[in-house]
Amino acid sequence: MDRRQFLFTLAATVPALTLGGKVFAAPATSPRLLLVFLRGGYDANNLLVPYASDFYYESRPNIAVARPDPQDDGSARALDANWALAPAVLKSMGPLWDRKQLAFIPFAGTDDLSRSHFETQDNIESGEAGDARRYASGFMGRLSGVLRGVPPIAFTDALPLSFRGAGDVPNVSLKGSGNAAFDDRQSKILAGMYEGTPLQAQAADGLQLRRDVANDLQAEMTAASRGAVNARGFAQQGERMATLMRDRFRLGFVDVGGWDTHVNQGGAQGQLANNLDNLSQGLAAFADGLGEKAWNDTVVVVVSEFGRTFRENGNKGTDHGHGTTYWVLGGKIDGGRIAGRQVAINAGSLLQNRDYPVLNNYRDLLGGLMRRMYGLSDKDLGAVFPGAKPTDLRLV
């Protein structure tokens, strides 16, 4: 057991612990903030569905989520005249929306146009303007330094860039062991069926190509996830996170991987829908695990490095995009609405004829939210997000 694990074990068993100059006993009046980072760039268009746009259905002949229809359980649920919620999350997130404890901010993101998982993730976690990045410092770490005495925790394998510069922040992994990405036994059975036939060579070549492609895609998704727990693991750990943040920690970060859906993404069902279902179950379990009183003092923000292309690709998936949709949840937020700047969805409004534009910069959004949560001064807010122009959406 290393020093950090030892200190974390102590922090979980004693009423208070001084670690790196900070007291790990949560102030009774301090609100909780949990940032959930979806690594891999999730497809927000199949979560918050622009059902009023014919262009959406023209652009996604195979993977679009059906317009709201009371007779169709696989259709989206209308939230207002333009937007609907995917059926995959309705069971978990529908009640929170009805209680106005959930809001969405479409057209959100960073000004980074690289469409690189790693560059854009680092850009967001550093919290700097433009290309300026201090890799020894992240915006959650700077927020922790400004707040002082607000105990932080990262639910990650290693300390994320977001929390760098905050001193000795405990981290605890939510990950379990995974299964192999490809089943060699099945390949051998299939190859054996063609052995001794004129198709033996073609079958062997086809199976090898399938293995290579599957391994390449798995490697890309794994890399994009940067070791984050997958959505299924997150669904199982929501209550565990709530237990730790209810009484002891007040500033949390967790990343969830598996969102790089280039192939067979699916629509109302399939790969993405399963991930969204597991994610929403984890968020609901986190809310329930906190209990009503603590949930009323909690804000959860779900972000991703970017969205996906608006049009589906030739593999019935989507590729790296730009603007995405953020989620804001909490017991006392002013939710039940789609917040932030928006634009009509058609071919003319896409960025470079392919992506959602970013109309709501993440630094301005989070800066405005943190100012309302913590009453930050201009100086303190400038330390967290240098040069940001806080946007007050009055969500908290």
Side-chain angles (χ1 to χ4, degrees):
M1 179 179 294
D2 63 23
R3 177 174 177 269
R4 179 175 290 159
Q5 290 173 316
F6 174 70
L7 290 173
F8 176 78
T9 301
L10 283 178
T13 56
V14 299
L17 171 70
T18 299
L19 179 58
K22 296 172 183 163
V23 178
F24 277 69
T29 58
S30 176
R32 295 170 195 78
L33 174 62
L34 175 67
L35 186 81
V36 181
F37 201 127
L38 308 184
R39 296 195 189 273
Y42 89 107
D43 181 34
N45 308 307
N46 273 16
L47 167 78
L48 188 63
V49 181
Y51 76 95
S53 170
D54 291 336
F55 180 59
Y56 167 76
Y57 292 97
E58 295 166 6
S59 300
R60 298 184 166 216
N62 297 291
I63 66 171
V65 177
R67 284 187 167 98
D69 179 354
Q71 306 304 315
D72 181 5
D73 291 339
S75 68
R77 172 190 165 181
L79 302 180
D80 63 17
N82 298 302
W83 302 99
L85 194 57
V89 303
L90 285 180
K91 184 175 180 181
S92 299
M93 293 294 101
L96 293 179
W97 176 270
D98 292 338
R99 294 196 295 268
K100 297 187 176 182
Q101 296 178 354
L102 169 65
F104 295 103
I105 309 172
F107 308 106
T110 173
D111 54 5
D112 187 307
L113 280 171
S114 70
R115 296 189 179 87
S116 160
H117 293 296
F118 316 112
E119 287 187 31
T120 314
Q121 287 176 21
D122 288 347
N123 182 288
I124 289 177
E125 290 192 73
S126 71
E128 302 282 357
D131 294 329
R133 299 189 191 103
R134 291 177 290 179
Y135 290 101
S137 172
F139 77 86
M140 293 286 280
R142 296 194 295 274
L143 176 64
S144 178
V146 163
L147 295 177
R148 299 183 184 85
V150 176
I153 186 171
F155 299 98
T156 54
D157 279 356
L159 191 69
L161 171 55
S162 303
F163 262 133
R164 287 183 193 168
D168 212 345
V169 177
N171 61 279
V172 55
S173 175
L174 301 180
K175 261 198 325 185
S177 59
N179 296 321
F182 197 79
D183 190 339
D184 287 333
R185 183 185 66 84
Q186 293 175 345
S187 294
K188 291 177 181 178
I189 292 173
L190 287 170
M193 293 171 60
Y194 291 95
E195 189 173 356
T197 74
L199 296 176
Q200 179 176 342
Q202 293 95 318
D205 289 345
L207 286 168
Q208 184 60 50
L209 177 61
R210 183 183 173 205
R211 276 195 297 270
D212 291 344
V213 170
N215 288 337
D216 287 347
L217 289 172
Q218 182 65 26
E220 179 179 350
M221 181 173 285
T222 300
S225 298
R226 287 186 161 180
V229 66
N230 61 27
R232 184 175 180 181
F234 181 75
Q236 298 167 345
Q237 297 293 345
E239 189 171 353
R240 179 186 178 195
M241 293 166 55
T243 299
L244 289 169
M245 288 198 69
R246 183 177 58 238
D247 301 317
R248 190 165 308 283
F249 300 101
R250 285 295 191 270
L251 193 60
F253 176 96
V254 62
D255 49 9
V256 183
W259 303 95
D260 199 24
T261 52
H262 289 281
V263 178
N264 293 328
Q265 175 179 297
Q269 297 179 331
Q271 176 185 177
L272 175 65
N274 290 338
N275 277 356
L276 289 171
D277 179 23
N278 284 318
L279 172 67
S280 64
Q281 285 187 48
L283 293 171
F286 179 74
D288 289 344
L290 285 174
E292 183 178 359
K293 182 178 179 181
W295 179 235
N296 285 341
D297 293 328
T298 300
V299 175
V300 178
V301 182
V302 181
V303 308
S304 193
E305 67 262 36
F306 45 59
R308 314 294 292 185
T309 48
F310 192 78
R311 299 177 180 88
E312 68 179 67
N313 62 27
N315 293 314
K316 299 181 182 180
T318 52
D319 299 317
H320 300 177
H322 189 48
T324 187
T325 296
Y326 290 178
W327 315 21
V328 181
L329 308 88
K332 287 295 185 180
I333 73 161
D334 184 14
R337 59 191 174 102
I338 313 299
R341 292 182 57 201
Q342 301 171 39
V343 65
I345 296 174
N346 51 51
S349 66
L350 296 183
L351 174 72
Q352 299 177 350
N353 194 33
R354 55 172 283 160
D355 309 318
Y356 271 174
V358 170
L359 305 178
N360 303 288
N361 182 273
Y362 83 102
R363 294 178 352 109
D364 299 339
L365 291 174
L366 293 180
L369 185 146
M370 291 172 182
R371 168 168 279 173
R372 288 188 68 89
M373 285 185 68
Y374 301 111
L376 297 182
S377 66
D378 289 343
K379 179 181 178 182
D380 285 343
L381 194 55
V384 179
F385 290 116
K389 299 177 181 178
T391 300
D392 187 358
L393 297 181
R394 299 187 176 276
L395 287 170
V396 298

